[in-house]
Amino acid sequence: MVGAIIGRQGSTIRQITQQTRARVDVHRKDNVGSLEKAITIYGNPENCTNACKKILEVMQQEANNTNKGEISLKILAHNNLIGRIIGKGGNTIKRIMQETDTKITVSSINDINSFNLERIITAKGTIENMSRAEGQISSKLRQSYENDLQAMAPQTMMFPGLHPMAMMATAGIGYGSRGLYSGQAPYPGMYPAGGSSQSAGGPGGAGGADAQETTFLYIPNNAVGAIIGTKGSHIRNIIRFSGASVKIAPVDETKPQEAQNERRVTIVGSPEAQWKAQYLIFEKMREEGFVAGSDDVRLTVEMMVPSQQVGRIIGKGGQNVRELQRVTGSVIKLPEQGATPVEDETTVHIIGPFFSVQSAQRRIRAMVLQSAVPPQGRQRPPRPQKEPSQSEGTSSEPQQ
């Protein structure tokens, strides 16, 4: 159907765009070899519905020409929103089916994984009725999404310098995996171009491209295979989706094997890339069952801070580090206060579940950035000229 929707030299898709004033993107290069392609439609709700209807009309015409029979409409929706489309005891979906005279089904939860959190809602009926069903489903999805965004707002305070969408994107409340991973917004204007959490650049912003962070994550030896995946497929996905560089250290031949129960993973990338890469590793560990029952995966993350700032992070009599542990729920280990630093940078060990270690990393980075002493050492983000917002829990990017 893709060829028919695009039309000769793009004529059909251009016509749809002009008539409906909605932007239509056909992801024909994604999922090479798969039987289906996704189409993303951007615009106000009414224009999107009109564009969707026109696409269905083209598909129906093509199906008639090739004797393919009836066509159906498939909508991708994030797993977290599906419950509200179905409704209590199936009430919502039944009501939509009755009002639009369509048959609507939802794909199984078994089809989702940490790389694709979307379920497929399939509607069958006449084009007119499928279009009405799409309007109601999209409206319900949008409303549920906006409610979630408001509910998430307080949590964004925990992660200074991170865009709220980046938070939601990887907190399992993210919307539209296609939108999240390829830097395209599920709705226009919701996610800044380029997908960097600090894409403001300019004199006041920490230019996203320069703000590279290096962290080290320790994973159990027996989890290395799962993280790498068959012929390196899983780790390649993590790198592609997060935009971070991810390297697993080889086994140290000089040490006895029983002494090496962990391997070090080096992650280099922007704050947002760090967030995504670490999230995907934690998720994979959880999926592979490296934890008992409903416990969260607890891993050790190491980050480097300028040695002259260690005292500041520890605080008077250790009060800052105690407060950090209380607020974030992670264990934070620093060298003893008063110990003479051997190098320019000191390692901070943070142990805990994903959200706890993320919160601790962000807070420590904010303390380092706030300080009057310019950070030194390798791959340190350049210090913004005046950026109080980093510590106040807001990102330095333009508000939409």
Side-chain angles (χ1 to χ4, degrees), residues 9-46:
Q9 293 175 331
S11 57
T12 310
I13 202 161
R14 254 202 317 278
Q15 198 180 356
I16 293 172
T17 307
Q18 283 161 0
Q19 288 173 347
T20 63
R21 298 205 304 285
R23 192 176 115 213
V24 181
D25 285 353
V26 181
H27 303 277
R28 58 171 164 183
K29 297 229 166 65
D30 291 5
N31 308 329
V32 176
S34 67
L35 292 170
E36 294 181 308
K37 301 288 181 214
I39 294 179
T40 311
I41 305 173
Y42 306 90
N44 71 31
E46 193 185 338

Side-chain angles (χ1 to χ4, degrees), residues 31 64 72 82 124 165 176 274 297 354:
N31 308 329
N64 294 348
S72 55
I82 288 295
K124 290 187 171 169
M165 271 307 293
Q274 281 284 347
V297 179
F354 175 72

